[in-house]
Amino acid sequence: MTGFVNPCAPEDAPIVGRNSPRLDSTVKVTGRAVYTVDIEKPGMLHAKVLRSPHAHARILSIDAAAARSLPGVTAVVTREEITGLNSYGTYVKDQPVVATESVRYVGDVVAAVAAVDERTAFAALDLISVQYEQLPAVFDVRAAMEPSAPAIFPDQPFAAYPEYGDGASGAAHTAHNVSYEFRYETGEESVWADCDYIFEDTFTFSRMNHMHLEPFATVAEATANEIEVWTSTQSPFPMRKELARVFGLPENDVRVNVPLLGGGFGAKNGPKTEAIAIRLSQLSAGRPVRYCMSTEEVFLTLSQHDAILTVKSGLKADGEFMARQSRVLLNGGAYADASPLVAEKAGYRMPGAYRWKRIDSVCQAVITNSVPAGAYRGFGATQATWASERQVDLIAERLGFDPLELRLKNAKELGEEFVPGESPIDSDLKHGLNLVADAIGYRDRTRSSNRGMGVAIGIKDGGGVNKPAQARVKVTTNGDVFLNCALVEMGQGGHSALCQIVAETLACDPKRVKYAAIDTDNTPFDQGTNASSGIAVMGHAVLQAAERVKCSVLDTAAEHLMLDRQSIRLDNWHIVDAEGTTYELPPLIMDRFGGTGFEFTADGYYKVRNSSSAPLEAPCIFWEIGWAAAEVEVDPETGRVELLQLVVSGDAGKVVNKLGCRGQDEGAAVFGLAQALFEELRYEDGELLNGEALLYRVPLAEDIPRLFSSITQEQGHGAGPFGTKGMGEGGMLPIAPAIAQAIADATGAQLTSLPMTPERVYNGIRAARLRQGGADGNA
Amino acid sequence: MSLESPESSEERFAHKVEFELNGSPERHCVPTSATVLDLLRNSCGKQGVRASCERSVCGACTVLVDDLPVAACSTFAFDVDGTRVETVEGLAAQDGTLSAQQQAFRECGGFQCGFCTSGMLMLTTALLRQNPQPERDQIREWISSNTCRCTGYEMILESVERAAELASAKQQDQVSE
């Protein structure tokens, strides 16, 4: 991928770029949208699980006899019933279907019950008696790495990981309680000797829950030889592969159906409710089993990674960035889940948007006795951007530079490679910085006490690594179109955008394009709905399929009408010739193919080519950038921050659906706003204190600043169809650092921990006053 | 949700509940512990009523009882005896024509995953009945009772403003007819 070829957008693109309502709007505003939680099957049973009350304990015995004999109970799954089943996880396969020798966090699943209703299932759980021997537990990442800390996995679980390219390496189990370690380096170590200043700072990053409104849910119908699930997953095919592996079945005996998702944000990758529902169904004579978690259970299932990030940066006296070293510890919780991939990405993204002569990053995912952490909107880049951007502001203050000017001086140019072997930057980063800065009046402001402004930029390699996508388009005799591909609709508007691409190509009304139901028996293969890959990766496969269908229709028509193939075009399921004469297609097709007609069908495929010089197997298809600018007013007496203005911007490359792009940037920005100011999972001695909706504070309409806006840029350099790039995560990245700098600008308080609660801000202001007092005293 | 199977717990079906649902009469026998959410989703087939936090925090299950928004997850089914209940299914006209609120959310992109949308629409319906021309501050205050994890809210606030415009235009059309 050059990343710079701008595939010609059609001169007059009437469908792509429209400000039209999404195609799923009617089902969603009428309540007719069907999610996994709405799936009901005749004779359906209900599952509930028993969870560990201990953070770390050996299971001595489980007595489930009374539960098994309770009327209405059809099956109980304990470690006895999962003999022979494999454990699951991305790279590191360490999570069993239910706990075997030990439990590793409060909430770890110990047993599961299927019964005629949820009440009976709950009653059965009360009858299961588990004897534990408590083991020492560890919750802090640094403590977990001490040799004296308990080994959470005494035997190292099976792990497989990719072959990295130039400068990158990765390995499992590199240190005590480390599930995975990623390293990247480029440039000479000697660069450090040329630096005039070197600063080292440590930042901490908090942990949030995804809080998707639709909980994890699955309905499974399974026998020993055949599995079918309806499930709320972002990754139908990786799910099929993993379930086939867990249950030791060929992939064509596992069928995964995916309805609409009520939000995902990364949480719905990898098995959650699936394996338990399947095993219970197998033990209930194949009756369908529904396992739908409560919100409280969702809190005990997956979270974001909290992190400690130490960054050392070297500069020249004029502010030129020279060298950056980073050491990142991610709290991966009790099971690896997607931690290896998040570690890879967090480590890789530590350089941020800037030019360095030397980069040296190490990121370790640490196992602790807490809720497993996995994929979360931003995927390591949120952590990296917090530390990277915050340190730029700290350095600017120390050396007396304006934070915006220091960024503009060091930001990469459009077309400059991120690191050797990687794709060039495909957005004008400085343009975006100036855009958001100007939008809040950064340069024209008049100083007033307790008010301040900050600007930040976040960057992540988008579209996933080594990610293939396939798609199929078929058109009936009458011109009704099906799009068949496995991009899951979880709110991002992907179905609608892809249907628009098909409609654009076939020159038909988007309403005539139906996004077919996702079912791994019939839907073409794909690697999952993640990494903002929908438009840039799947979009290519869809475009190719649609173009091939169009070619096939035009070939058939040209031959049948004896017209020059190059002189005809398709318009609203008519053929139009050079003179403008139109020919209806249905009679032509009936005439040509006979019977009840014909369906034109074609497949598309896309994947960025692998390259051994690309650090992460293949160069990324696009760069997802988020720019933000914030203005705050801080009450110095209480530390309370009022967000006066927030502007977020992303570069869509080329907009397919305006409402969709705007919604992605604003939604992502509000995740960032919440992480910046209040939202976090709070722990005390490893115990989650706010793991339920009443206590867990998510942003509400009243938290949004009165001046909140997004700017969707169309810089036109994207490598996706029509010059598009992916959206959805970039907007989250720069928000917390922009707000942090606004607070620093207002009060002098330089915060290094999230969220920036009134207490932290108040203490930061006091520390800043002491610092200034000290400086005055020295002067 | 689906807390109990009708077969297993007949003796607990202690309450007769009669109410009006989207303009039609409904009669059900419900156990004491049944919520309005159970009643509407499981007995009345109104699956547009969404279940999420089940702690009356998120508002995904918001329905109207005698014009007021309530959290169906945290209201007992016996409490709606003799009331008028409205769900998202009752918003559109019989012929499928969308209501002003539905049109506005559609047009302004006031939804993404759609899981909060039924609740947001019912909240909007109640607000516009109380005040057909609400200011931004009042809209913000009302919408703050429900959670949307996707949109960042701005497009929902715009949708409610647009719904007020569309509703008042519709009303003027009717007057002029």
Side-chain angles (χ1 to χ4, degrees):
Chain A
M1 282 317 307
T2 64
F4 278 92
V5 183
N6 181 6
C8 288
E11 277 300 295
D12 174 31
I15 297 159
V16 164
R18 264 191 208 172
N19 202 13
S20 54
R22 288 164 48 157
L23 297 174
D24 56 354
S25 55
T26 302
V27 291
K28 287 180 175 174
V29 300
T30 53
R32 294 204 315 273
V34 174
Y35 303 87
T36 299
V37 292
D38 300 319
I39 304 283
E40 280 188 48
K41 299 280 164 192
M44 188 166 80
L45 302 165
H46 295 268
K48 285 288 149 197
V49 305
L50 184 69
R51 293 174 181 274
S52 167
H54 304 299
H56 197 197
R58 186 170 293 121
I59 301 174
L60 299 176
S61 66
I62 303 175
D63 181 358
R68 288 178 210 282
S69 57
L70 185 73
V73 170
T74 57
V76 177
V77 169
T78 68
R79 56 187 179 179
E80 305 282 312
E81 283 77 26
I82 63 157
T83 311
L85 302 192
N86 290 305
S87 296
Y88 53 83
T90 315
Y91 295 3
V92 180
K93 309 288 184 187
D94 61 1
Q95 191 159 8
V97 176
V98 295
T100 52
E101 298 86 32
S102 61
V103 287
R104 298 183 173 87
Y105 73 98
V106 173
D108 211 349
V109 177
V110 180
V113 169
V116 291
D117 56 25
E118 292 192 345
R119 176 183 293 273
T120 310
F122 277 125
L125 294 182
D126 287 344
L127 300 174
I128 299 174
S129 130
V130 184
Q131 301 293 318
Y132 297 99
E133 176 198 341
Q134 285 203 56
L135 298 170
V138 64
F139 309 107
D140 175 80
V141 287
R142 285 181 174 141
M145 293 174 72
E146 293 290 329
S148 58
I152 298 172
F153 285 91
D155 304 314
Q156 292 180 351
F158 170 75
Y161 33 92
E163 279 185 32
Y164 292 106
D166 290 356
S169 62
H173 317 304
T174 53
H176 190 55
N177 284 326
V178 166
S179 63
Y180 194 77
E181 176 174 316
F182 174 80
R183 287 175 174 266
Y184 178 73
E185 64 179 298
T186 187
E188 299 299 323
E189 184 68 19
S190 60
V191 172
W192 289 103
D194 299 332
C195 298
D196 296 319
Y197 299 101
I198 295 174
F199 298 104
E200 183 175 300
D201 299 284
T202 295
F203 305 90
T204 60
F205 185 89
S206 55
R207 187 199 298 217
M208 303 199 296
N209 181 257
H210 303 73
M211 198 70 188
H212 37 80
L213 288 185
E214 183 205 25
F216 297 116
T218 298
V219 175
E221 261 183 37
T223 62
N225 305 317
E226 218 170 354
I227 290 172
E228 181 160 18
V229 292
W230 291 260
T231 195
S232 190
T233 185
Q234 294 175 225
S235 300
F237 285 93
M239 179 63 71
R240 180 181 76 177
K241 185 178 180 185
E242 193 72 332
L243 293 176
R245 214 185 57 81
V246 168
F247 289 93
L249 290 174
E251 283 181 73
N252 56 1
D253 284 331
V254 179
R255 184 176 189 174
V256 178
N257 302 278
V258 183
L260 294 173
L261 264 61
F265 314 115
K268 292 173 178 173
N269 286 291
K272 302 288 182 309
T273 37
E274 292 83 358
I276 286 169
I278 289 167
R279 190 68 190 121
L280 287 168
S281 176
Q282 287 178 329
L283 296 171
S284 304
R287 278 178 74 175
V289 173
R290 177 184 196 256
Y291 178 24
C292 176
M293 287 193 197
S294 65
T295 300
E296 290 72 17
E297 289 186 278
V298 170
F299 277 102
L300 296 175
T301 302
L302 199 74
S303 76
Q304 193 184 28
H305 289 82
D306 60 69
I308 301 173
L309 309 99
T310 300
V311 192
K312 187 169 88 173
S313 298
L315 296 84
K316 292 299 257 185
D318 67 355
E320 182 190 357
F321 290 176
M322 297 290 284
R324 173 170 272 185
Q325 183 196 71
S326 56
R327 299 289 178 263
V328 179
L329 299 176
L330 296 177
N331 183 355
Y335 295 102
D337 197 275
S339 285
L341 271 162
V342 178
E344 176 186 304
K345 294 299 194 176
Y348 192 57
R349 293 163 178 168
M350 283 306 292
Y354 309 106
R355 188 179 304 121
W356 306 95
K357 294 185 167 68
R358 163 76 179 163
I359 296 165
D360 161 17
S361 306
V362 180
C363 182
Q364 293 169 310
V366 183
I367 309 165
T368 65
N369 294 110
S370 62
V371 172
Y376 194 109
R377 192 175 212 167
F379 208 85
T382 327
Q383 290 86 341
T385 305
W386 168 243
S388 169
E389 284 293 271
R390 202 71 275 272
Q391 202 200 25
V392 171
D393 288 323
L394 292 178
I395 291 171
E397 185 194 60
R398 288 167 190 151
L399 298 181
F401 292 110
D402 177 82
L404 174 59
E405 298 308 324
L406 187 61
R407 285 176 168 83
L408 291 169
K409 179 180 176 66
N410 289 288
K412 291 211 176 247
E413 298 291 339
L414 174 67
E416 192 175 341
E417 66 185 359
F418 177 69
V419 293
E422 183 54 275
S423 302
I425 302 297
D426 56 1
S427 288
D428 183 338
L429 305 178
K430 296 173 193 176
H431 173 74
L433 276 169
N434 285 321
L435 199 64
V436 293
D438 292 346
I440 64 161
Y442 185 89
R443 289 190 173 93
D444 314 325
R445 70 197 142 138
T446 46
R447 285 272 169 194
S448 61
S449 62
N450 303 322
R451 283 194 177 196
M453 291 184 174
V455 173
I457 179 169
I459 179 168
K460 73 188 282 279
D461 47 307
V465 171
N466 208 3
K467 189 174 194 294
Q470 291 174 248
R472 181 171 304 139
V473 171
K474 55 180 199 163
V475 192
T476 69
T477 303
N478 288 325
D480 300 317
V481 186
F482 291 90
L483 169 59
N484 212 218
C485 64
L487 184 95
V488 171
E489 179 56 63
M490 50 188 178
Q492 83 281 38
H495 283 190
S496 198
L498 293 175
C499 287
Q500 281 180 259
I501 288 176
V502 173
E504 181 74 52
T505 310
L506 299 179
C508 70
D509 186 340
K511 286 183 186 139
R512 294 200 76 173
V513 185
K514 176 182 180 177
Y515 195 99
I518 298 171
D519 145 20
T520 52
D521 274 14
N522 295 300
T523 306
F525 179 75
D526 165 60
Q527 192 166 301
T529 307
N530 45 44
S532 308
S533 62
I535 282 295
V537 180
M538 182 59 86
H540 269 297
V542 167
L543 179 65
Q544 188 183 59
E547 280 184 336
R548 285 178 171 168
V549 160
K550 183 175 80 176
C551 280
S552 160
V553 174
L554 290 175
D555 285 348
T556 304
E559 190 190 324
H560 201 74
L561 298 169
M562 291 185 290
L563 291 169
D564 172 23
R565 164 72 171 76
Q566 301 309 318
S567 72
I568 60 171
R569 64 186 172 88
L570 196 58
D571 182 26
N572 201 19
W573 210 234
H574 287 70
I575 296 294
V576 184
D577 71 12
E579 279 77 49
T581 312
T582 61
Y583 305 86
E584 283 190 18
L585 270 167
L588 186 155
I589 295 165
M590 295 301 289
D591 199 26
R592 165 72 179 76
F593 295 99
T596 49
F598 184 75
E599 276 191 358
F600 290 91
T601 304
D603 284 6
Y605 164 73
Y606 185 75
K607 187 186 169 303
V608 175
R609 274 179 187 273
N610 282 9
S611 155
S612 62
S613 58
L616 307 182
E617 295 180 279
C620 71
I621 180 166
F622 71 96
W623 291 97
E624 191 169 357
I625 320 291
W627 295 268
E631 182 181 21
V632 302
E633 179 160 3
V634 182
D635 179 348
E637 303 302 317
T638 62
R640 189 178 169 279
V641 175
E642 187 187 351
L643 195 50
L644 301 173
Q645 290 196 70
L646 182 65
V647 175
V648 62
S649 183
D651 175 15
K654 160 82 186 162
V655 165
V656 175
N657 187 301
K658 284 185 186 171
L659 291 171
C661 289
R662 182 183 162 200
Q664 285 300 291
D665 268 344
E666 293 184 1
V670 170
F671 265 76
L673 178 164
Q675 184 132 38
L677 295 175
F678 51 82
E679 182 178 336
E680 72 169 333
L681 293 165
R682 285 185 289 111
Y683 288 86
E684 197 174 276
D685 297 328
E687 189 191 344
L688 178 57
L689 299 178
N690 58 342
E692 63 131 310
L694 273 170
L695 301 173
Y696 186 75
R697 171 135 154 60
V698 294
L700 298 171
E702 65 195 17
D703 295 311
I704 309 308
R706 279 159 212 279
L707 297 173
F708 171 45
S709 62
S710 62
I711 305 170
T712 308
Q713 300 176 54
E714 290 188 272
Q715 291 195 10
H717 311 297
F722 311 115
T724 50
K725 311 205 316 176
M727 305 283 283
E729 298 180 271
M732 179 166 180
L733 310 180
I735 305 298
I739 293 173
Q741 176 52 25
I743 293 169
D745 189 44
T747 65
Q750 290 286 7
L751 301 192
T752 54
S753 297
L754 288 173
M756 295 176 279
T757 55
E759 186 183 1
R760 285 197 173 121
V761 174
Y762 178 78
N763 289 334
I765 294 170
R766 283 173 46 127
R769 282 182 185 157
L770 284 173
R771 228 173 29 236
Q772 279 161 0
D776 291 347
N778 292 337
Chain B
M1 281 309 304
S2 316
L3 203 59
E4 44 199 312
S5 137
E7 310 92 79
S8 72
S9 37
E10 266 170 56
E11 74 281 4
R12 287 195 290 265
F13 278 67
H15 301 269
K16 281 206 182 77
V17 182
E18 290 185 38
F19 61 106
E20 188 187 301
L21 178 57
N22 299 331
S24 304
E26 293 273 344
R27 285 177 73 166
H28 296 277
C29 265
V30 295
T32 311
S33 61
T35 63
V36 174
L37 183 64
D38 297 328
L39 175 69
L40 293 175
R41 276 186 68 93
N42 302 335
S43 306
C44 306
K46 300 299 180 203
Q47 295 220 321
V49 185
R50 309 291 174 197
S52 182
C53 77
E54 302 195 55
R55 290 283 186 280
S56 75
V57 176
C58 75
C61 64
T62 303
V63 297
L64 303 191
V65 177
D66 290 339
D67 295 317
L68 289 178
V70 305
C73 71
S74 303
T75 306
F76 283 118
F78 59 72
D79 271 341
V80 297
D81 188 42
T83 66
R84 243 176 343 102
V85 177
E86 292 166 86
T87 69
V88 70
E89 285 89 348
L91 291 181
Q94 291 289 337
D95 66 357
T97 306
L98 298 181
S99 69
Q101 306 89 290
Q102 290 172 312
Q103 275 179 42
F105 272 70
R106 200 174 161 264
E107 199 180 290
C108 302
F111 70 93
Q112 285 181 28
C113 83
F115 215 76
C116 76
T117 310
S118 303
M120 289 291 185
L121 285 166
M122 299 320 289
L123 205 52
T124 305
T125 305
L127 168 60
L128 296 184
R129 275 182 200 163
Q130 288 201 5
N131 181 0
Q133 271 149 355
E135 296 291 321
R136 174 60 79 111
D137 279 351
Q138 192 185 10
I139 297 172
R140 181 192 304 268
E141 197 179 313
W142 273 64
I143 293 299
S144 292
S145 67
N146 284 14
T147 300
C148 167
R149 193 57 158 166
C150 298
T151 60
Y153 296 107
E154 190 67 22
M155 293 166 88
I156 291 182
L157 302 180
E158 289 174 15
S159 298
V160 180
E161 286 170 338
R162 178 72 181 140
E165 275 175 30
L166 286 172
S168 101
K170 263 188 191 175
Q171 209 166 26
Q172 280 174 6
D173 283 354
Q174 279 165 0
V175 170
S176 61
E177 275 168 23

